[in-house]
């Protein structure tokens, strides 16, 4: 049975996911077989496993840090809010039920807890270490009796707990002391170390603060992690959209790309590769005025496509999009965004909500009807149309059946990894400037991304951005190495291993620390 270490936070967005990713990578580098685990996750940023199951994006990234493929047991319960106080509950990668928050908390927890126990034991029987991520705060007292993601999971796994606090938001002393005080004595005894995250400035100025925390709480401070900008590791929470890198000003001569920030936007990390491409400026937009100078527009996925279609009309964005289309803009819709580019979206059985039908933007010859089943799978294939032919890979996570009408052409021909049949995906307008696809991760394909940007540059007389020296996949690997080096450099690794009762299996940077991020 595996040993386990769990990262709990004093609040949401204090850095639990990133710290878990770093610990996964460090244990992997130090010679252990390790897997991530998060009992219950609430996120619209999900990933498809090779077996065609759906889990939170953070656990897929953490699996990559462990050097293993993701599976549904790493995140047995995924909650996907759909609006109107409803949540789609995904259990071990499959849709279990769409229900209200109250019904879920009062009537469904016992059912899903059985899946949590089953999934944890599945991983614990196969790996030496499990790195567990908590959710939010473990001491939301109105929810604590029904919270399955924090204390209850720590007890299931008999986990060593590390408590992480975000000093950048202020109130770090109160958040640490308050969290520990609200834990029961047996729960508090599991907390073996405190980690201060997102520190800016001269760390020596916080020495007295460390002494005070250790003296007052009796829990050692294992490290003070600096604020690490531009990690280039996929974020889980949409709060990341407020970070500066998502609101960059346009540089002179750059390809200006706008992503429509739909109210129910899902899988916003689809566009991360564009942020790392030289000569490209990307910003998320919510008003017509923000579209005035862009060369390309992306409509992302949505967890409530019909409601987001109405929002486009009510905000005037539909008209603004039409103006940019007439001006020559290239437009790409992914998943729900693809559906919005079509003629109509129908929901006669009200799978998404009370709306029967919404008109699409009308630029692709397709009609989508919402269904109760969800298609979740990784796919491979080749892009067709004006940018093809070229190989492509990605993954599908969507509800709805899309019918192609007369006109236009398919975007790609794809198949599942087992080669069980092939089908046409998406659609492309006759002029080639509007494309829709169900493939999440399309911009992670280096060749597609570069051909698409080249076509935009030719359209507007811009200089084609230089191709980076490395692929996006290599950039991700480098980012994980940088993260583990930075965390090693600022955590007391010998002390941490002493608390855990282990040591690195092989000579690694853990013995000497590593360079910090610049």
């Amino acid at each position: 049975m595996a040993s386990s270490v769990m990262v709990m936070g004093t609040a949401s967005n204090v850095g639990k996911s990133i710290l878990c990713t770093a610990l996964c990578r460090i244990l992997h580098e130090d010679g252990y077989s390790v897997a991530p685990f998060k009992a219950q996750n609430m996120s619209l940023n999900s990933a498809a496993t090779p077996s065609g199951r759906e889990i939170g994006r953070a656990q897929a990234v953490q699996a990559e840090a462990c050097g293993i493929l993701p599976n549904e047991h790493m995140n047995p319960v995924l909650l996907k809010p759909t609006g109107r106080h409803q949540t789609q509950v995904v259990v071990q990668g499959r849709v279990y039920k769409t229900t209200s928050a109250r019904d879920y908390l009062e009537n469904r927890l016992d059912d899903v807890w059985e899946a949590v126990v089953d999934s944890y034991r599945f991983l614990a029987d196969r790996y030496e270490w499990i790195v567990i991520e908590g959710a939010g705060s473990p001491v939301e007292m109105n929810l604590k009796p029904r919270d399955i993601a924090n204390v209850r999971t720590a007890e299931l796994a008999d986990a060593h707990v590390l408590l992480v606090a975000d000093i950048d938001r202020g109130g770090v002393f109160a958040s640490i002391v308050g969290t520990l005080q609200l834990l029961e004595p047996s729960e508090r005894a599991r907390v073996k170390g405190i980690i201060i995250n997102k520190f800016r400035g001269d760390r020596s100025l916080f020495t007295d603060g460390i002494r005070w925390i250790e003296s007052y709480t009796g829990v050692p401070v294992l490290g003070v992690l600096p604020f690490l900008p531009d990690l280039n590791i996929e974020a889980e929470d949409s709060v990341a959209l407020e970070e500066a890198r998502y609101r960059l000003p346009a540089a002179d001569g750059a390809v200006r790309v706008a992503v429509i920030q739909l109210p129910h936007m899902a899988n916003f990390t689809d566009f991360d590769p564009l942020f790392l491409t030289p000569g490209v400026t990307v910003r998320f937009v919510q008003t017509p005025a923000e579209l005035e100078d862009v060369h390309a527009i992306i409509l992302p996925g949505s967890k409530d496509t019909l409601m987001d279609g109405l929002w486009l009309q009510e905000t005037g964005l539909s008209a603004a999009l039409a103006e940019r289309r007439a001006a020559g803009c290239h437009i790409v819709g992914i998943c729900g965004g693809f559906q919005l580019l079509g003629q109509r979206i129908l929901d006669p059985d009200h799978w998404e909500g009370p709306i029967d039908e919404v008109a699409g933007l009308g630029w692709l010859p397709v009609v989508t009807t919402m269904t109760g089943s969800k298609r979740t799978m990784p796919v491979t294939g080749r892009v067709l149309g004006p940018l093809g032919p070229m190989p492509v890979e990605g993954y599908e996570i969507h509800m709805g059946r899309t019918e192609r009408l007369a006109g236009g052409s398919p975007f790609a021909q794809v198949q599942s990894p087992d080669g069980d049949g092939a089908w046409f995906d998406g659609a492309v307008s006759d002029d080639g400037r509007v494309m829709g696809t169900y493939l999440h991760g399309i911009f992670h394909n280096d060749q597609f991304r570069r051909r698409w940007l080249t076509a935009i540059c030719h359209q507007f007389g811009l200089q084609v951005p230089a191709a980076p020296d490395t692929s996006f996949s290599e950039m991700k690997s480098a980012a994980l190495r940088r993260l583990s080096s930075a965390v090693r450099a600022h955590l007391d690794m010998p002390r941490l291993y002493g608390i855990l009762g282990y040591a690195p299996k092989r000579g690694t940077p853990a013995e000497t620390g590593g360079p910090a991020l610049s």
Side-chain angles (χ1 to χ4, degrees), residues 137-147 151 178-184 187:
S137 161
V139 289
E140 301 291 351
M141 302 311 291
N142 58 316
L143 300 176
K144 190 169 182 281
R146 297 184 291 273
D147 179 6
V151 171
T179 299
L180 292 173
Q181 289 291 336
L182 289 172
L183 291 171
E184 296 296 328
E187 300 164 354

Side-chain angles (χ1 to χ4, degrees), residues 35-50:
F37 183 77
K38 185 166 185 174
Q40 178 179 280
N41 201 348
M42 179 177 286
S43 177
L44 291 180
N45 200 27
S46 59
T49 70

Side-chain angles (χ1 to χ4, degrees), residues 83-387:
R84 297 176 297 276
H85 307 294
Q86 296 287 300
T87 296
Q88 184 183 85
V89 183
V90 179
V91 177
Q92 291 182 339
R94 299 291 193 205
V95 175
Y96 164 70
K97 192 176 183 65
T98 297
T99 184
S100 68
R102 179 175 296 277
D103 179 61
Y104 174 72
L105 289 171
E106 294 181 352
N107 302 316
R108 308 293 170 185
L109 278 182
D110 289 342
D111 293 341
V112 301
W113 176 248
E114 293 179 9
V116 171
V117 174
D118 175 67
S119 288
Y120 179 79
R121 290 175 177 167
F122 176 92
L123 295 174
D125 286 341
R126 289 163 174 79
Y127 296 93
E128 296 173 280
W129 273 98
I130 308 297
V131 175
I132 305 172
E133 180 182 339
S137 161
V139 289
E140 301 291 351
M141 302 311 291
N142 58 316
L143 300 176
K144 190 169 182 281
R146 297 184 291 273
D147 179 6
I148 65 173
N150 290 296
V151 171
R152 196 170 178 183
T153 292
E155 292 171 346
L156 166 68
D158 192 21
H160 304 282
V161 173
L162 306 177
L163 182 65
V164 59
D166 176 2
I167 196 170
D168 191 50
R169 65 174 59 188
V172 70
F173 298 100
S175 66
I176 292 170
V177 171
T179 299
L180 292 173
Q181 289 291 336
L182 289 172
L183 291 171
E184 296 296 328
S186 61
E187 300 164 354
R188 190 160 56 247
R190 290 192 176 278
V191 180
K192 303 300 176 59
I194 294 168
I195 297 172
I196 308 297
N197 197 23
K198 304 182 187 178
F199 186 85
R200 300 175 189 258
D202 184 351
R203 183 198 176 284
S204 66
L205 297 176
F206 195 64
T207 301
D208 289 342
I210 292 174
R211 292 195 188 104
W212 188 92
I213 291 170
E214 292 185 332
S215 173
Y216 192 89
T217 67
V219 181
V221 175
L222 299 180
V224 178
L225 304 183
F227 184 85
L228 301 174
D230 302 323
L231 279 175
N232 299 331
I233 293 175
E234 292 170 313
E236 175 178 76
D237 296 323
S238 59
V239 70
L241 298 179
E242 304 304 320
E243 294 180 359
R245 78 187 192 96
Y246 289 101
R247 299 287 184 184
L248 295 176
D252 290 341
V255 179
R256 295 187 291 274
V257 180
V259 180
I260 305 298
Q261 190 173 335
L262 299 170
H264 303 94
M265 180 171 61
N267 291 76
F268 62 87
T269 51
D270 276 341
F271 322 112
D272 277 3
L274 294 171
F275 286 97
L276 304 179
T277 302
V280 177
T281 298
V282 186
R283 61 178 182 260
F284 285 81
V285 305
Q286 293 180 301
T287 65
E290 294 174 287
L291 293 177
E292 289 178 357
D293 62 346
V294 301
H295 305 116
I297 300 168
I298 300 172
L299 281 166
S302 169
K303 197 67 192 71
D304 196 330
T305 310
L306 283 86
M307 284 292 291
D308 284 347
L310 289 178
W311 178 81
L312 289 176
Q313 297 170 20
E314 292 167 355
T315 59
L317 279 165
S318 291
L321 284 164
E323 291 177 5
R324 295 310 300 162
R325 163 113 169 91
C329 267
H330 286 241
I331 299 172
V332 174
I334 299 175
C335 197
F338 163 42
Q339 296 170 347
L340 289 168
L341 290 174
Q343 306 298 310
R344 299 188 311 282
I345 304 119
L346 311 175
D347 190 10
D349 296 320
H350 299 164
W351 290 106
E352 282 199 345
I355 304 172
D356 293 315
E357 177 178 344
V358 167
L361 292 165
W363 300 330
L364 293 178
V366 298
V367 171
T368 298
T369 302
M370 291 300 169
T371 62
S373 60
K374 176 181 283 192
R375 187 179 186 129
T376 305
M377 66 175 66
V379 299
T380 60
R382 59 193 179 97
V383 171
L384 307 173
L387 297 184

Side-chain angles (χ1 to χ4, degrees), residues 20 128 448 499:
C20 283
E128 296 173 280
F448 172 82
I499 289 170

